[in-house]
Amino acid sequence: MNLSILPGRYAIARLAPEAGPPSWARGALVSVTRTARELSVVCEETGVPDEVPSERGWRCLKVAGPIDFAVTGVVFSIAQPLFRAGISLFVMSTFETDYVLVKEERLERAVEALEAAGHRIET
């Protein structure tokens, strides 16, 4: 797989399930997901207000796409080397591709683990 590192740092924020998409969610990647228990927002961390519960300091790796829906094992091929390296991840998928977020302090090690597994990383 070919992956690229998106610029900036990302946050994963949690809002009430009845909340609407927030105006502060912006960046090259924004994801808003509603469940019965929450509204999760992934976006550049600079816009997330301090009072919003969030996990900050994530970096984002984008899988080169589009990826055909028939292709299997894409996320597994990325998650497995990160698991072996002891790196936790947050995964999101869109119609065209997948995104893997790792904490900024683990990015260098994540890139090493992914490259050792045969992936190519564009910086």
Side-chain angles (χ1 to χ4, degrees):
M1 295 269 107
N2 293 323
L3 298 100
S4 59
I5 301 171
L6 297 184
R9 292 169 32 128
Y10 285 80
I12 303 163
R14 182 176 194 258
L15 300 173
E18 65 277 0
S23 61
W24 45 258
R26 58 182 174 265
L29 171 68
V30 174
S31 176
V32 178
T33 305
R34 183 183 314 281
T35 69
R37 295 180 48 121
E38 67 179 315
L39 184 79
S40 288
V41 179
V42 177
C43 64
E44 286 186 9
E45 72 177 17
T46 55
V48 181
D50 291 337
E51 65 273 9
V52 172
S54 64
E55 178 75 23
R56 299 167 186 261
W58 294 88
R59 295 298 307 273
C60 185
L61 297 147
K62 176 185 177 185
V63 179
I67 301 169
D68 189 287
F69 282 98
V71 176
T72 62
V74 173
V75 171
F76 178 77
S77 74
I78 296 166
Q80 186 177 43
L82 295 179
F83 167 76
R84 288 185 178 149
I87 299 170
S88 56
L89 61 125
F90 184 90
V91 179
M92 297 184 325
S93 296
T94 66
F95 190 88
E96 289 195 352
T97 194
D98 298 309
Y99 296 85
V100 177
L101 288 85
V102 298
K103 290 298 256 183
E104 183 171 47
E105 62 269 14
R106 303 296 303 217
L107 180 62
E108 185 176 331
R109 179 67 187 114
V111 168
E112 291 170 0
L114 291 168
E115 288 179 335
H119 298 291
R120 285 178 292 224
I121 315 294
E122 296 176 25
T123 53

